[in-house]
């Protein structure tokens, strides 16, 4: 069975080969990135050889088993920020933030009142700091006013 | 520069109410901004410049210097308590600062970071006061080949520190340097690896990647463990003993020296200094095994080094108009907005102002100490907050911070993708820290390499390099950094093999 680092090294090697092919379309300044890709390929092969010689498959399998128990939780934590980012342009920063925070707090079984208060206060405070003090144009309301 | 009457009048000016007020406000803003992932000192300076336009030049610049100094320290607070550096310059502080917090010494680690930052900043400030023009002259000795070699040395060092073996670290550093090529070729202007995307034409922003690499894995870890944010050990003694302080003097001295030199080299910045100082502290330590598990020297080195950069980065900025870091570049904007042109004439026409600023920089370190002390008294209480509450808020702040860099949602997605990939690759022994530094130093390395090749076209690259002693020394150090771990590994393997042979003979 392949170890995790061997899989990642394989992915890096494949990606580097594809990008090397893509680099043929670059009109100027292709030499330096190509040199970096060649260096990546060489180092990836060295890393792969070291990994194969080390042979710690049993240890790695134990770690994956433990991770499997938390796979669902990790999936939620990985996917939800992407949905939150998409929501910014739909309902605006403030509403999206309250929904995101409230959703995750509820998922982690925080009490309803605490979830709502913390979500609203955190959203307002961060909007004030970045939006008002730092003049960052955070998305507001999105397309909601068009309804 | 150091004339008694000038010194006394500068002292009087810097202790005026308006100057003290400016330094205090700057320090408070700097510490808060520095602690927020995504909100950098450079951003804070850039935002404050139009506001400070209405103030006299000395008051305005004192406030900005307060922000710069304290902002670099502020990043260590979140680095220690949350394992998420508030600024790239505090990335190395997470290696030992956070383990100390997990062991119940969060307050101690934060106080050590503050003390180290103050020491680094003070010594650097004294050097600036006494020898700014001389420091600027040293900066001129670092040409394209020297800057190129420093970039490679920094990357090799980070690679050796961050990963379980050097080949993986170097692989990730090379990957980071490759990511730094995405965008537009700086020489020819043609797009590289943009795949037709307008967002990629600007290249990948470093700060969102840094935020993602540290915050996402930490939040995942935080929210998939029960109870408090961290399983903090029983709260230990939070003060440094006299013996511990004595033991750190050498670390502070060496790290400050390294940071001061790095501050003179344009575009290298405190991000590289922090790793170089950490690596040197580890090499000097008697017990290297403690590093990465709560070594006080680790925190002291990275924080003294990154703040030592601040003072000397101002020397080439004032004397030559060449900023030694990104924040110094923003500070230069503050000078220009008041009609002050950096360069040699500043040292002849604006001596009283410069004396005020240099003295103000020293005073800013004491303000940082005061404000920082108040901050570290309050900050460790964050460790008691449940991971379920803190984690989503950290993600939210990290996403907003990433968005704030360029007001572009693409940076938010960059941050998320980098964080998720970093989380899964970490299990395979791949650290993303060299990737971040590769993205910072890669474009600089490419530019300096191009300039070096152009300059050396007549004589040949290696002949030209042979006439650059500083570059050669750095190259030798780089080669040694690569070879030594390999030699040590072979020695260890031989020892293990020899011991196995002896045990089997004894059994026989």
């Amino acid at each position: 069975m392949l170890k995790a680092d061997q899989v990642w090294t394989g992915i890096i090697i494949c990606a580097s080969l594809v990008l090397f092919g893509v680099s043929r379309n670059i009109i100027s300044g292709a030499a330096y990135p190509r040199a970096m890709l060649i260096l990546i390929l060489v180092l990836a092969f060295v890393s792969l050889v070291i990994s194969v010689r080390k042979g710690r498959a049993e240890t790695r399998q134990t770690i994956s088993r433990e991770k499997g128990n938390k796979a669902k939780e990790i999936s939620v934590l990985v996917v939800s920020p992407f949905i939150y980012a998409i929501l910014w342009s739909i309902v605006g920063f403030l509403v999206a933030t309250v929904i995101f925070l409230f959703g995750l707090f509820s998922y982690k079984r925080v009490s309803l009142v605490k979830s709502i208060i913390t979500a609203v206060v955190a959203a307002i405070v961060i909007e004030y700091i970045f939006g008002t003090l730092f003049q960052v144009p955070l998305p507001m309301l999105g397309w909601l006013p068009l309804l | 520069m150091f004339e008694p009457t000038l010194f006394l009048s500068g002292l009087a000016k810097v202790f005026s109410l308006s100057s003290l007020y400016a330094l205090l406000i700057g320090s408070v803003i700097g510490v808060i901004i520095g602690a927020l992932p995504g909100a950098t000192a450079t951003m804070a300076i850039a935002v404050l410049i139009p506001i400070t336009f209405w103030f006299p030049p000395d008051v305005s610049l004192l406030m900005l210097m307060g922000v710069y100094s304290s902002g670099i320290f502020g990043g260590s607070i979140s680095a220690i308590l949350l394992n998420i550096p508030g600024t790239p310059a505090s990335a190395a502080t997470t290696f030992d600062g956070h383990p100390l917090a997990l062991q119940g010494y969060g307050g101690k680690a934060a106080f050590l970071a503050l003390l180290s930052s103050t020491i680094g900043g003070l010594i650097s400030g004294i050097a600036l006061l006494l020898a700014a023009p001389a420091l600027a002259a040293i900066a001129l000795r670092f040409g394209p080949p020297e800057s190129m070699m420093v970039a490679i040395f920094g990357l090799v060092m980070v690679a050796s520190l961050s990963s379980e073996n050097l080949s993986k670290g170097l692989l990730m550093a090379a990957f980071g340097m490759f990511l730094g090529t995405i965008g537009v070729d700086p020489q020819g202007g043609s797009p590289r690896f943009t795949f037709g995307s307008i967002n990629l034409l600007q290249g990948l922003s470093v700060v969102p990647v840094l935020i993602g690499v540290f915050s996402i894995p930490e939040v995942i870890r935080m929210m998939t463990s029960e109870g408090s944010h961290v399983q903090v050990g029983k709260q230990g003694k939070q003060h440094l003993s006299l013996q511990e302080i004595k033991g750190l003097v050498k670390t502070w001295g060496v790290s400050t020296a390294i940071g001061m030199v790095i501050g003179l080299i344009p575009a290298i910045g405190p991000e590289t200094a922090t790793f170089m100082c950490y690596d040197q502290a580890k090499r000097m330590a008697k017990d290297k095994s403690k590093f990465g598990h709560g070594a006080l020297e680790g925190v002291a080195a990275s924080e003294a080094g990154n703040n030592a950069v601040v003072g000397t980065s101002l020397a080439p900025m004032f004397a030559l108009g060449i900023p030694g870091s990104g924040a110094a570049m923003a500070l230069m904007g503050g000078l220009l907005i008041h009609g002050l042109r950096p360069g040699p004439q500043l040292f002849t026409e604006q001596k009283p102002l410069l004396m005020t600023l240099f003295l103000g920089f020293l005073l800013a370190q004491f303000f940082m100490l005061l404000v920082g002390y108040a901050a570290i008294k309050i900050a460790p209480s964050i460790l008691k907050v449940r991971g379920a509450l803190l984690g989503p808020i950290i993600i939210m702040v990290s996403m907003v911070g990433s968005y704030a860099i360029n007001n572009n949602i693409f940076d938010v997605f960059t941050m998320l993708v980098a964080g998720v990939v970093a989380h899964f690759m970490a299990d395979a022994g791949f650290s993303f820290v060299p990737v971040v530094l590769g993205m910072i130093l890669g474009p600089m390395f490419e530019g300096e390499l191009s300039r070096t090749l152009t300059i050396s076209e007549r004589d040949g690259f290696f002949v030209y390099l042979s006439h650059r002693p500083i570059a050669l020394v750095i190259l030798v150090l780089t080669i040694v950094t690569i070879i030594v771990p390999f030699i040590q590994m072979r020695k260890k393997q031989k020892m293990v093999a020899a011991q196995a042979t002896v045990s089997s003979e004894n059994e026989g």
Side-chain angles (χ1 to χ4, degrees), chain A residues 4-5 8-9 12 19 22-23 26-29 32-33 36-37 39-40 43-44 46-47 50 54 56 60 67 70 73-74 77-78 81-82 84-86 88 93 97 100-101 104-105 108-110 114 118 122-123 126 129-130 133-134 136-139, chain B residues 33 36 39 43-44 47 164-165 167-168 170-172 174-175 177-178 181 185 188-193 195 220 223-224 386 388-389 392-393 395-397 399-401 403-404 407 409 412-413 416-417 420-421 423-425 427-428 430 442 445-446 449:
Chain A
D5 61 341
W8 278 109
T9 310
I12 290 170
L19 287 166
V22 168
S23 71
I26 297 172
I27 300 166
S28 73
Y32 175 75
M36 285 299 116
L37 287 168
L39 183 61
I40 288 170
L43 289 167
V46 168
S47 187
I50 292 173
K54 254 184 185 169
R56 278 186 297 178
R60 294 286 183 213
K67 265 250 160 179
K70 293 181 181 170
E73 211 164 351
I74 291 171
L77 293 171
V78 162
F82 284 94
Y84 169 46
I86 293 167
W88 278 16
F93 171 77
T97 302
F100 170 72
L101 291 177
L104 278 183
F105 292 156
K108 293 300 287 182
R109 295 189 181 87
V110 177
K114 209 180 211 178
T118 310
I126 294 301
I129 291 174
F130 282 90
L133 290 181
F134 284 122
V136 175
L138 293 167
Chain B
I33 295 312
L36 281 174
M43 186 198 293
V47 167
E164 62 184 43
N165 71 54
S167 63
K168 279 182 175 166
L170 288 173
L171 172 61
M172 298 310 279
F175 179 55
M177 290 175 83
F178 170 75
T181 66
D185 165 34
S190 71
R192 297 191 297 196
F193 306 103
F195 304 101
I220 291 174
M223 293 186 70
T224 52
R386 264 183 71 190
L389 279 175
I393 293 174
I395 296 180
M396 185 252 299
V397 173
M399 287 171 70
V400 174
Y403 178 82
N407 301 334
I409 193 80
V412 177
F413 288 109
L416 292 172
V417 169
V420 169
V421 172
H423 168 72
F424 289 112
M425 286 187 85
D427 279 343
F430 289 99
F445 173 77
E446 185 185 0
L449 175 65

Side-chain angles (χ1 to χ4, degrees), chain B residues 207-209 211-213 215-216 395 398-400 402 410-420:
Chain B
V207 174
V209 172
I211 295 170
V213 158
S215 65
I216 301 291
I395 296 180
S398 300
M399 287 171 70
V400 174
S402 302
F410 181 77
D411 287 335
V412 177
F413 288 109
T414 304
M415 179 221 118
L416 292 172
V417 169
V420 169

